[in-house]
Amino acid sequence: MAKKSLIQREKKRQKLEQKYHLIRQSLKNKIRSKVSPLSLSEKTKMREKLQSLPRNSAPTRLHRRCFLTGRPRANYRDFGLSGHVLREMVYECLLPGATRSSW
């Protein structure tokens, strides 16, 4: 089980990312736009606005965690679970459609 403070930090990052998503996207689109050529000073102002946003609002800072344990590593996107939890659930036949291999 992950520390509760780390899980709460991740939830805070998710909220910040959702809050600033549209602002960040519009600033990036304005910088990249080829239709209206911006002068160099205008582009630097846009970049400064982009950099002034909170760091934790960047989507690259988000990290997937296991739904049950909060473990940050070895997560399967399809199930939202870490590897060892997934394996235990498959052995107990709790996941429909997933079968354990035997040879």
Side-chain angles (χ1 to χ4, degrees):
M1 186 75 178
K3 290 172 65 174
K4 291 186 179 183
S5 60
L6 296 177
I7 295 172
Q8 292 302 320
R9 185 186 307 163
E10 195 66 35
K11 287 181 182 178
K12 181 180 176 183
R13 285 181 180 156
Q14 288 174 351
K15 287 179 186 176
L16 278 173
E17 196 274 332
Q18 289 175 354
K19 180 179 178 181
Y20 289 101
H21 178 74
L22 292 176
I23 299 169
R24 184 177 295 276
Q25 198 66 30
S26 66
L27 285 171
K28 283 185 175 184
N29 288 337
K30 286 178 185 177
I31 291 171
R32 292 181 192 154
S33 70
K34 295 180 180 179
V35 177
S36 61
L38 297 172
S39 67
L40 188 59
S41 63
E42 292 174 353
K43 280 193 175 185
T44 55
K45 287 180 185 176
M46 294 287 182
R47 287 188 185 121
E48 287 174 2
K49 286 182 184 177
L50 190 63
Q51 288 178 350
S52 68
L53 296 176
R55 281 188 177 184
N56 282 334
S57 69
T60 56
R61 287 190 168 237
L62 293 178
H63 206 279
R64 278 190 313 275
R65 289 186 171 269
C66 177
F67 179 71
L68 293 178
T69 60
R71 189 169 193 266
R73 298 184 180 206
N75 284 316
Y76 287 85
R77 290 183 186 184
D78 297 337
F79 302 102
L81 299 170
S82 62
H84 72 279
V85 173
L86 179 72
R87 184 175 185 209
E88 290 173 4
M89 290 181 80
V90 169
Y91 284 157
E92 295 171 4
C93 300
L94 297 175
L95 290 175
T99 57
R100 58 183 176 172
S101 62
S102 60
W103 61 84

